[in-house]
Every structure is written in structure tokens, then in C-alpha cells.
């Protein structure tokens, strides 16, 4: 069969199948015979295949049947990748949803608070105590102080600078003990309007627990250490910085023997 028996229109209709290697042997032979003598159709084939057109009279390359197989394999790999991603994501989403409903563990709404708490502990561990202080949300503490009838609100005009001084002074013992040498996240749980994040920290060769209360606005409170033995350990001393600040404003101190406040005028 010569090329006069097949028109350019028919060849153009067959070219997509030909380029993808999906047409039968007879159709491929007809297309190749036509392409050998038709420069316009050769250019159309080259454009479709993204190639430079062969010179006139040059042999027409046969379509690669493997091209269709490669395309199919790409689609198959893509489907396998999506399936694997779904297999991994579905349990994760289910776990996060369960935590969201029960108010414990990582979930959709506590990621921000977890990052705030992590940032605070990380800054402490880096020895940047001033930076750690600036991660604290002081508004709630100020409201507590200003609402205390035993304190004179006029004295609170220097609240932030005084608070920073007490925080840094309380951090001195922790710094002298070598600071926080290691820390790791343990858990997170909803508490009131925020979340409490638990950590295990090491300082002075001793392991302690550290709780950080965080909300949308920042770190509201933290506590850690093991208490008074007979004096507070360095981490506990830092946790008590706001208590020391309150005692200074109130003009009192805590008697370790009686566990009661002693006022300066007494």
C-alpha cells in the first residue's frame, strides 16, 4: 500500500496513538510509510513528540511501544505513593482526633501552645534567661497582683522591670548549677483555657520534672524541681520567682519552720 491510499487527515488522527506506541502493527506501518514522504506530517509528529523533525528522506524512527508502558508505570507509582500516604495519614489523623476529643496528647488545636512551651524550655536550656523571661505572658500575673488587697497598686508602676530583675536573680542558682543540660517532651494536656506541657529536664546531674502552662498568648506559668531540701533546688527556686516578687511587694517572707508568712511590721 503506497502513501496515496492514506490521507494526511487520517495520519493526523492516528499520530497520537502512534506517538504513544498504542496503535497496531498495520496502522503503524501505514503511518510510517506516509511520514516517509510527507514533510508536513513529519513536522506534526515531531511537534507532538517534542522532537526536531527529521530531514526529508531520512528514515522515520519507529514509535517506542515502551513509552506507553513508562507512562503507565508513572501513573502506577503515583497511585502507590498516594495510597502509602493515605495509609500513614489516616492513623495519624485518627490519633490526633481522639486526642482532640479527650483533651490529652498532641492534637489539632494545641500545636501552637506546644511550640510556645518548647521555645520557653529551649531558651532556658540555652542559658538565655532574659529571652526566657520575655516569653512569659505577664498580664495575668499583673492582674493577680493588682487585685490583691494587700498590695498597693501604685507600687506596681515598675512591675515589668521589677519582675524581670527577680526572674534573672532567681535564675542565678540554676546558672551556677550548670543550667539545664538536657530536656525532653513528655506529654501535653488541656487545663482550663490552655495546656500544660510536661518535660523531663536535667540540671546539676539531677533529673527533674518541669510543667509549663501555655495559652494562645504565651507561657503563663511554669513549675519544676523537687521542693525544699531544706532549701529549694535551682529549678524550684526559679519556679518560685513570682512568689519572691509578690513577697517583695507585700513586704513579707515565708518562714520555712512554720510555713507561714511573716510581715515586716510584725
Amino acid at each position: 500500500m503506497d502513501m496515496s491510499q492514506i490521507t494526511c487527515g487520517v495520519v493526523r488522527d492516528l499520530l497520537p496513538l502512534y506517538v504513544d506506541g498504542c496503535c497496531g502493527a498495520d496502522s503503524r506501518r501505514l503511518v510510517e510509510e506516509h511520514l516517509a514522504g510527507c514533510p508536513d506530517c513529519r513536522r506534526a509528529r515531531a511537534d507532538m513528540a517534542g522532537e526536531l523533525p527529521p530531514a526529508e528522506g531520512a528514515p522515520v524512527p519507529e514509535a517506542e511501544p515502551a513509552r506507553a508502558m513508562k507512562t503507565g508505570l508513572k501513573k502506577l507509582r503515583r497511585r502507590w505513593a498516594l495510597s502509602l500516604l493515605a495509609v500513614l495519614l489516616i492513623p495519624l489523623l485518627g490519633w490526633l482526633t481522639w486526642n482532640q476529643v479527650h483533651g490529652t496528647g498532641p492534637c489539632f488545636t494545641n500545636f501552637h501552645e506546644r511550640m510556645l512551651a518548647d521555645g520557653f524550655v529551649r531558651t532556658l536550656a540555652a542559658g538565655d534567661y532574659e529571652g526566657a523571661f520575655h516569653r512569659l505572658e505577664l498580664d495575668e500575673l499583673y492582674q493577680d497582683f493588682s487585685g490583691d488587697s494587700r498590695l498597693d497598686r501604685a507600687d506596681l508602676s515598675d512591675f515589668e522591670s521589677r519582675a524581670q530583675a527577680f526572674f534573672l536573680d532567681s535564675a542565678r542558682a540554676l546558672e551556677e548549677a550548670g543550667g539545664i543540660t538536657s530536656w525532653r517532651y513528655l506529654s501535653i494536656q488541656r487545663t482550663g483555657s490552655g495546656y500544660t506541657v510536661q518535660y523531663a529536664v536535667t540540671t546539676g546531674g539531677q533529673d527533674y520534672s518541669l510543667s509549663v502552662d501555655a495559652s494562645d498568648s504565651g507561657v503563663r506559668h511554669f513549675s519544676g524541681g523537687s521542693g525544699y531540701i531544706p532549701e529549694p533546688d535551682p529549678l524550684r527556686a526559679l519556679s518560685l520567682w513570682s512568689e519572691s516578687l509578690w513577697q517583695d511587694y507585700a513586704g513579707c517572707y515565708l518562714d520555712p519552720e512554720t510555713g507561714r508568712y511573716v510581715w515586716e511590721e510584725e
Side-chain angles (χ1 to χ4, degrees):
M1 180 181 294
D2 58 38
M3 75 170 189
S4 63
Q5 294 177 292
I6 183 170
T7 65
C8 290
V10 173
V11 170
R12 301 292 175 87
D13 290 339
L14 290 173
L15 276 180
L17 295 174
Y18 174 80
V19 169
D20 287 339
C22 297
C23 61
D26 291 340
S27 298
R28 184 170 64 252
R29 186 178 67 255
L30 289 175
V31 171
E32 289 171 354
E33 289 176 355
H34 181 89
L35 291 176
C38 181
D40 290 339
C41 288
R42 283 202 301 273
R43 279 192 292 271
R45 176 205 172 278
D47 290 341
M48 195 172 296
E51 303 170 353
L52 292 175
E56 188 170 355
V60 179
E62 293 188 4
E64 299 180 13
R67 183 175 299 166
M69 183 178 294
K70 289 180 181 178
T71 302
L73 287 175
K74 285 182 181 178
K75 292 180 179 178
L76 185 61
R77 283 196 295 267
R78 190 180 301 116
R79 289 173 183 170
W80 272 105
L82 291 174
S83 299
L84 179 60
L85 183 61
V87 168
L88 295 175
L89 283 179
I90 289 174
L92 175 62
L93 292 175
W95 178 60
L96 292 173
T97 301
W98 192 94
N99 289 343
Q100 181 75 41
V101 172
H102 292 82
T104 183
C107 63
F108 301 106
T109 56
N110 64 20
F111 179 79
H112 178 62
E113 288 80 358
R114 165 73 189 279
M115 292 300 100
L116 289 174
D118 278 6
F120 175 73
V121 179
R122 186 180 298 109
T123 307
L124 277 181
D128 181 8
Y129 301 111
E130 185 173 348
F133 172 79
H134 288 298
R135 288 179 177 269
L136 296 174
E137 171 52 59
L138 298 178
D139 287 348
E140 185 175 334
L141 182 63
Y142 176 80
Q143 293 300 325
D144 289 343
F145 277 36
S146 62
D148 192 328
S149 60
R150 292 165 293 188
L151 304 184
D152 187 347
R153 293 194 64 176
D155 292 340
L156 298 177
S157 58
D158 62 348
F159 176 79
E160 186 168 350
S161 60
R162 205 162 170 181
Q164 180 173 340
F166 268 81
F167 183 89
L168 296 179
D169 186 64
S170 299
R172 190 175 303 151
L174 182 61
E175 185 175 17
E176 291 173 353
I180 294 176
T181 54
S182 66
W183 62 278
R184 61 186 176 88
Y185 162 81
L186 294 178
S187 64
I188 184 170
Q189 187 168 2
R190 184 186 300 157
T191 51
S193 60
Y195 289 86
T196 297
V197 190
Q198 299 283 348
Y199 300 91
V201 301
T202 302
T203 179
Q206 298 292 321
D207 295 329
Y208 301 100
S209 62
L210 176 64
S211 299
V212 180
D213 295 337
S215 64
D216 287 340
S217 55
V219 174
R220 299 182 303 183
H221 177 70
F222 67 96
S223 61
S226 56
Y228 297 87
I229 324 175
E231 296 182 354
D233 59 76
L235 188 61
R236 181 64 176 168
L238 178 59
S239 300
L240 293 172
W241 76 274
S242 58
E243 169 68 14
S244 300
L245 177 64
W246 179 85
Q247 291 177 22
D248 186 66
Y249 273 119
C252 66
Y253 66 91
L254 183 66
D255 188 335
E257 294 184 0
T258 64
R260 300 178 61 183
Y261 289 113
V262 178
W263 305 90
E264 292 178 354
E265 61 269 16
E266 292 181 0

